[in-house]
Amino acid sequence: MLDVSVEIDRAAVARLDGLLRKVAKECPHRLATETRRAALYICQSLKSRTKTAPKRIRPREYAANVSAVPPKYIHSKSAHHKLLRRWTLARKIGTPDAYANHYYVYTDRHRGKNGRMVGGDKAAEKRKLLRQHGGIPRAGLAKKSWGWIAQKIYSASGMGDLSWKRTRGERRDPRKYVNGVFSAIGGDATATISNRLDYALDALKPGALSGAITAATKRLAHNVEKHIERAAS
């Protein structure tokens, strides 16, 4: 049995389930191996179907505004002592993981004759802010997450290499949101694939889940038929 924690084409699941039932009937001693292999094939297929993340955050994922939190301006420590204006860059807007950081960007703002700050090009400053701080440092995690799941299923104990290091600004450990479990008890075998990373699912190409099941079934069927033929001879 294979358990996938998302909605997919039931026909694709039925084909794979039918293949594993055939293994259970014709080559029961192969059921655990082929069930685990099916799960690994699905993870590999999902990894290959995961889109590469953009290098920069998209407009709907952030909010950039001139900060209202003092100090609003500071002087740089460079020889030119240029003025820097404070900006607030919020990420993951509308999600439980939303957060905001403050950054200083060079500005042409200056004090006018009346003593108030005047001038400056906010649009140019915003472009500079995003160019310097709007990158996506973890663009490869969506693909890597499927490898973590496969490693857990492959090792059975779930103690595979799930290497990851938290960077500044990250509030969650992505490894806690993925899981892969394999168990074989008696004449039954079960593999569970679970990925609750929002960006991992968003990065999947249309139809990727059903396509991964179908591709895994075709790949698995080739080896299964060979073992069934050997068992029958």
Side-chain angles (χ1 to χ4, degrees):
M1 177 183 175
L2 197 71
D3 183 17
V4 184
S5 61
V6 290
E7 287 296 324
I8 57 176
D9 180 10
R10 302 314 300 175
V13 177
R15 288 192 292 271
L16 178 57
D17 186 60
L19 179 61
L20 292 176
R21 288 181 183 278
K22 186 175 181 180
V23 173
K25 180 179 179 181
E26 304 291 340
C27 300
H29 63 285
R30 298 285 310 175
L31 181 60
T33 298
E34 301 305 335
T35 299
R36 191 204 303 261
R37 186 173 289 169
L40 294 176
Y41 286 169
I42 290 172
C43 289
Q44 291 170 4
S45 186
L46 287 172
K47 183 177 181 179
S48 68
R49 285 170 164 78
T50 298
K51 296 179 290 186
T52 302
K55 294 182 179 180
R56 299 286 167 185
I57 48 178
R58 293 168 289 198
R60 62 183 174 85
E61 298 172 343
Y62 73 88
N65 297 286
V66 172
S67 177
V69 180
K72 296 182 180 179
Y73 301 94
I74 63 172
H75 285 281
S76 69
K77 296 180 181 180
S78 66
H80 301 290
H81 294 286
K82 291 190 67 176
L83 198 65
L84 293 157
R85 176 152 56 176
R86 182 171 179 151
W87 282 74
T88 300
L89 179 61
R91 291 176 179 256
K92 299 183 180 180
I93 303 299
T95 74
D97 300 298
Y99 67 94
N101 287 327
H102 300 289
Y103 302 100
Y104 286 98
V105 180
Y106 283 112
T107 179
D108 292 326
R109 294 279 281 178
H110 59 279
R111 291 196 180 280
K113 294 180 180 179
N114 59 2
R116 294 183 178 181
M117 298 298 292
V118 297
D121 185 342
K122 287 178 62 176
E125 290 177 34
K126 183 176 180 179
R127 288 194 296 271
K128 189 181 299 182
L129 170 74
L130 295 174
R131 187 167 60 250
Q132 295 176 346
H133 306 289
I136 301 179
R138 294 297 197 178
L141 273 187
K143 278 181 173 290
K144 195 171 186 178
S145 66
W146 299 112
W148 288 340
I149 297 172
Q151 185 61 52
K152 286 191 171 206
I153 291 172
Y154 179 77
S155 66
S157 64
M159 299 299 289
D161 179 19
L162 306 184
S163 57
W164 177 81
K165 185 177 181 181
R166 190 186 303 275
T167 60
R168 184 177 180 181
E170 287 184 301
R171 298 191 176 187
R172 65 176 178 174
D173 185 338
R175 296 170 297 182
K176 295 180 180 179
Y177 294 80
V178 301
N179 197 23
V181 179
F182 173 77
S183 64
I185 302 175
D188 193 21
T190 302
T192 301
I193 298 171
S194 176
N195 193 331
R196 293 182 291 115
L197 289 172
D198 48 3
Y199 54 80
L201 297 180
D202 288 343
L204 286 174
K205 298 177 182 178
L209 292 168
S210 298
I213 298 289
T214 299
T217 303
K218 290 181 179 178
R219 189 176 174 188
L220 192 68
H222 180 71
N223 290 329
V224 166
E225 292 301 331
K226 285 185 176 181
H227 288 292
I228 291 179
E229 288 177 7
R230 290 173 186 171
S233 60

